[in-house]
Amino acid sequence: MTQKLPYRSEVIENETWDLSHLFPTSESFEKSVKHLLEQSQSFRTQYLNKLLDVSTIESALDDLNQLLIELDRGANYAEMQLSVDTTDSERQRLEAFFTSHYGKILSQFAFLETELLALDENVLKDAIDQSKYAYYLTRLHNRKKYQLDATSEELLANLSEALNSPSHIYGITKMLDIDFGQFEVDGKLYDMDYTTFEGIYEDHENTSLRRESFKHFSDTIRRYQHTTAALYNRHVQNEKIEANLRGYDSVFDFLLEEQDVTSDMYHRQIDVIMSDLAPIMRRYAKVIQRTNHLDEMRFEDLKISVDPTYEPQISIEESKSYIYGALGVLGQDYLDMVQKAYDERWIDFPQNKGKDTGAYCASPYASHSYIFISWTGKMTETFVLAHELGHAGHFNLAQRNQNFLQSEASMYFVEAPSTMNEMLMLDYLLKQSEDPKFKRWAIGSIIARTYYHNMVTHLLEAAYQREVYRLVDKGETLTAPILNQIKKEVITNFWGEDITITEGAELTWMRQPHYYMGLYSYTYSAGLTIGTIMAHRIQKEGKPAVEAWLETLKAGGSVSPLELANKAGIDISTDQPLKETIAFIESLVSELEQLTQHIEKNN
């Protein structure tokens, strides 16, 4: 047997993150959450029915700001401590403890927005004009017609735990109940769980191992498809119920309102990529098939390297020189933050049993960013780490310059700083060597890791999700066969006849927690569009573009995503930036084709 992961207790402590800056002990965490509930109750007593003038409103928002910082601190701790070992019962208990208090705390704040929106228009306008929370109040004012009465808003807040339970149960089923066991290839047994499949087997250079692991993975999750579909259906129906209660014409309008973007911006992102990027990515798939000498190109082959014989390995320590080299262009202050991330254990590197899948950056306002990653030793991890450090740099700058209520940028923009860093990494790597194999590896990595993953994988999630919500808007119920059919049609439409859509590909909808996070998936491509154009600006203009970018990051959530992009010199009111990004991807694919011809000719 191979690829057996260590238990959390067996990993190297210095490679794990240190959460003590948030809470020194789990006991202090529980005590803080209990105290926060008491504080929120006192807040309600102090301000209920008293928000009558600008001075009191500003005082209430100051106090709310501080309480939400503490709530955010607790929420991040609860999620982070569990995500590194979802099998641990004590970690499960702590997360459940927080969840049970979360709705109660939120319910104490529910009156505030209702009372603000019930104010005389002149009073609210004066508050907007005079407040340091101007954008927050403006956004609130824009939602006025969708606001419910105080009792209903409080009831919804109290029900938040129940309404969000499908997401919670999905996570438990995914990480705790599904037992993948082992699979056999060429007489050898291999252990499998979500982490080993997505981190090791899914892009393995051994075709038999990769394809058999996909079959075993798909056969296993298929047994849970009906339960997972029921959970997902309940989640989206809950969203539809709230959209109806608030008077939105569509669940799309309800979910996009939070992002402060138009439906045109949302649909454009999906439609243009499905039509314009698809033929380019089919060419990329042909290169993969050619360099890997595959009899046919299957769905489960799409994530493999362009060169299976050339995959540089890198240690955590060695990654520093690449990260510092690539991100150094953003200035010394930014680089100091990156160095602290390594030195002060902001990053959780190990692969271990029970660790959640994927990578993320949590940025509690009360502390600093924390990065979750499962380090495989492949050099492509430098792109992943640069990506997550992009989030860290963004939130570090925003939180230093904005209050909590206006610190977090719209979801539409939030992936721009992370994907921009990946572009800086590519530029740095291409300057390190003239070796055609290295250049092909670097370009292949940015396409696979950045553009395929973020602009195709997540975009196909978004296209699937759009069809789901269209059915929900029509009052239909979702089942596993319906979801399978939608997913298969979306994948087939994008890849056409160039890719064999293997049985099991239709189950891809079961794998992502993004579907429980509103209209999140499409924002990866939106952010990558901004990030790509910004990286090109920095490469061409140097310091002036860097300064414009840093000022944009400092703005946080104090303006709309359209205004944020404008600060960076990018107009996302049209499809031009997206078209330019797709043209750049085509240039990368063309260079990949040329490098492959050159390498084959000279071998």
Side-chain angles (χ1 to χ4, degrees):
M1 293 185 296
T2 60
Q3 309 297 357
K4 196 173 183 67
L5 293 176
Y7 290 99
R8 182 68 179 181
S9 59
E10 298 171 336
V11 302
I12 300 170
E13 183 181 42
N14 203 44
E15 294 180 358
T16 66
W17 56 23
D18 179 9
L19 300 185
S20 64
H21 193 247
L22 275 179
F23 294 99
T25 64
S26 58
E27 289 79 10
S28 63
F29 159 70
E30 292 186 71
K31 183 178 179 181
S32 174
V33 173
K34 291 176 182 177
H35 181 55
L36 183 57
L37 177 57
E38 295 171 359
Q39 288 178 300
S40 66
Q41 291 165 340
S42 298
F43 174 86
R44 176 183 171 84
T45 300
Q46 182 177 356
Y47 291 108
L48 182 65
N49 297 322
K50 297 183 179 69
L51 300 176
L52 304 175
D53 57 77
V54 173
S55 176
T56 306
I57 292 169
E58 193 74 357
S59 176
L61 291 177
D62 285 340
D63 289 347
L64 176 67
N65 194 70
Q66 291 304 311
L67 291 172
L68 289 177
I69 288 173
E70 291 304 307
L71 185 62
D72 178 63
R73 183 162 72 121
N76 277 283
Y77 182 85
E79 178 184 0
M80 286 189 289
Q81 59 85 29
L82 178 63
S83 66
V84 295
D85 188 0
T86 59
T87 65
D88 185 88
S89 59
E90 175 60 13
R91 294 173 186 269
Q92 295 169 23
R93 185 191 70 80
L94 290 172
E95 196 271 342
F97 167 81
F98 178 81
T99 300
S100 69
H101 283 73
Y102 183 73
K104 297 173 186 176
I105 293 169
L106 280 185
S107 69
Q108 302 303 306
F109 306 145
F111 76 92
L112 182 136
E113 293 191 348
T114 304
E115 287 195 18
L116 289 176
L117 292 179
L119 287 170
D120 179 87
E121 278 289 314
N122 291 327
V123 176
L124 185 55
K125 185 178 182 301
D126 287 343
I128 292 173
D129 291 341
Q130 300 174 35
S131 177
K132 56 178 159 302
Y133 306 102
Y135 182 63
Y136 164 80
L137 288 170
T138 300
R139 296 278 294 113
L140 178 63
H141 183 259
N142 292 341
R143 295 201 307 270
K144 183 172 183 176
K145 66 178 180 178
Y146 304 115
Q147 190 77 5
L148 302 176
D149 62 84
T151 302
S152 298
E153 290 290 351
E154 185 173 338
L155 177 62
L156 278 176
N158 272 306
L159 286 173
S160 63
E161 181 181 359
L163 294 173
N164 292 323
S165 62
S167 171
H168 180 66
I169 297 170
Y170 164 77
I172 291 174
T173 301
K174 176 180 175 180
M175 297 307 298
L176 297 181
D177 285 347
I178 299 180
D179 183 0
F180 289 96
Q182 300 170 343
F183 66 102
E184 184 177 343
V185 179
D186 297 332
K188 292 183 179 180
L189 289 174
Y190 295 84
D191 290 293
M192 181 186 283
D193 56 23
Y194 256 99
T195 304
T196 52
F197 174 70
E198 295 188 350
I200 298 173
Y201 305 135
E202 190 174 26
D203 63 352
H204 203 282
E205 68 275 7
N206 184 313
T207 300
S208 297
L209 177 61
R210 182 178 64 256
R211 291 178 175 177
E212 185 59 34
S213 73
F214 179 79
K215 182 180 184 303
H216 180 76
F217 178 87
S218 300
D219 289 345
T220 303
I221 65 173
R222 189 184 304 279
R223 298 199 296 266
Y224 298 83
Q225 63 177 318
H226 299 294
T227 298
T228 308
L231 287 172
Y232 182 45
N233 178 66
R234 185 66 270 149
H235 171 77
V236 296
Q237 299 298 345
N238 286 348
E239 290 175 319
K240 179 60 176 173
I241 288 170
E242 184 169 353
N244 288 345
L245 283 174
R246 295 188 178 280
Y248 287 92
D249 294 333
S250 161
V251 70
F252 291 103
D253 294 338
F254 169 56
L255 295 173
L256 287 172
E257 192 278 333
E258 182 182 359
Q259 298 177 18
D260 199 11
V261 299
T262 65
S263 59
D264 286 344
M265 293 167 69
Y266 165 73
H267 291 295
R268 179 182 71 208
Q269 203 70 25
I270 298 173
D271 292 337
V272 173
I273 292 176
M274 289 294 287
S275 63
D276 292 13
L277 184 59
I280 297 169
M281 293 307 295
R282 291 172 192 171
R283 285 171 50 197
Y284 165 69
K286 289 291 186 184
V287 176
I288 296 294
Q289 181 178 1
R290 175 179 172 179
T291 58
N292 284 270
H293 310 291
L294 299 177
D295 54 341
E296 63 175 339
M297 192 67 182
R298 300 184 187 177
F299 177 81
E300 63 267 37
D301 298 326
L302 286 167
K303 292 192 175 182
I304 58 178
S305 170
V306 69
D307 187 349
T309 67
Y310 193 95
E311 181 63 59
Q313 297 294 303
I314 189 171
S315 67
I316 294 171
E317 184 63 30
E318 290 168 339
S319 73
K320 294 179 181 179
S321 63
Y322 291 94
I323 294 292
Y324 296 162
L327 304 187
V329 68
L330 296 176
Q332 191 58 49
D333 285 348
Y334 197 99
L335 214 51
D336 288 345
M337 181 276 299
V338 173
Q339 186 169 353
K340 284 182 179 180
Y342 279 104
D343 296 346
E344 298 178 6
R345 290 174 54 199
W346 296 9
I347 309 169
D348 198 83
F349 290 100
Q351 294 187 75
N352 60 261
K353 187 175 178 61
K355 189 172 183 178
D356 215 338
T357 58
Y360 68 78
C361 175
S363 297
Y365 193 101
S367 178
H368 53 68
S369 292
Y370 291 89
I371 292 171
F372 176 98
I373 188 174
S374 292
W375 190 264
T376 63
K378 298 175 183 177
M379 196 169 180
T380 50
E381 298 289 10
T382 58
F383 288 104
V384 182
L385 196 48
H387 178 106
E388 299 306 337
L389 285 165
H391 287 306
H394 182 195
F395 287 113
N396 180 60
L397 287 168
Q399 290 173 2
R400 270 199 267 157
N401 290 276
Q402 304 295 332
N403 58 67
F404 179 84
L405 287 171
Q406 298 185 162
S407 64
E408 189 166 342
S410 164
M411 196 181 288
Y412 187 92
F413 181 88
V414 80
E415 293 297 338
S418 53
T419 51
M420 201 280 289
N421 275 14
E422 293 189 55
M423 299 304 300
L424 295 181
M425 178 58 70
L426 172 66
D427 186 57
Y428 178 78
L429 288 172
L430 289 176
K431 292 175 180 176
Q432 300 309 300
S433 174
E434 291 300 320
D435 179 4
K437 282 199 168 185
F438 182 83
K439 283 184 173 294
R440 184 173 69 169
W441 168 83
I443 293 170
S445 294
I446 197 73
I447 295 175
R449 164 60 220 155
T450 304
Y451 288 110
Y452 173 69
H453 183 68
N454 292 318
M455 211 156 195
V456 176
T457 298
H458 292 323
L459 197 281
L460 292 180
E461 292 172 5
Y464 154 85
Q465 193 178 36
R466 182 168 66 172
E467 297 309 310
V468 166
Y469 282 118
R470 281 172 172 169
L471 291 178
V472 171
D473 262 341
K474 293 177 182 178
E476 297 189 26
T477 298
L478 307 172
T479 63
I482 291 173
L483 297 175
N484 290 341
Q485 180 183 352
I486 294 172
K487 190 64 181 179
K488 187 172 183 177
E489 287 178 356
V490 166
I491 296 171
T492 302
N493 288 341
F494 187 87
W495 293 111
E497 297 179 355
D498 296 270
I499 305 297
T500 300
I501 308 302
T502 319
E503 184 178 1
E506 76 281 0
L507 298 171
T508 307
W509 64 268
M510 294 180 63
R511 295 172 54 181
Q512 279 292 1
H514 292 161
Y515 303 132
Y516 297 86
M517 301 165 69
L519 296 177
Y520 180 35
S521 296
Y522 91 100
T523 65
Y524 278 90
S525 66
L528 185 50
T529 299
I530 298 170
T532 298
I533 303 303
M534 194 65 228
H536 291 166
R537 275 200 65 198
I538 289 173
Q539 290 158 12
K540 291 175 184 177
E541 303 171 27
K543 189 174 180 181
V546 169
E547 290 177 351
W549 184 238
L550 295 178
E551 288 303 309
T552 301
L553 300 185
K554 289 176 184 177
S558 63
V559 294
S560 73
L562 196 66
E563 292 172 281
L564 280 175
N566 282 337
K567 280 178 174 287
I570 302 168
D571 181 7
I572 57 172
S573 66
T574 74
D575 65 2
Q576 188 60 32
L578 179 55
K579 295 274 190 179
E580 288 181 20
T581 299
I582 292 174
F584 173 67
I585 299 172
E586 183 171 24
S587 74
L588 290 177
V589 172
S590 295
E591 190 168 357
L592 203 61
E593 292 168 334
Q594 293 166 10
L595 284 167
T596 297
Q597 290 176 351
H598 174 80
I599 291 167
E600 290 176 349
K601 183 178 178 180
N602 289 277
N603 274 353

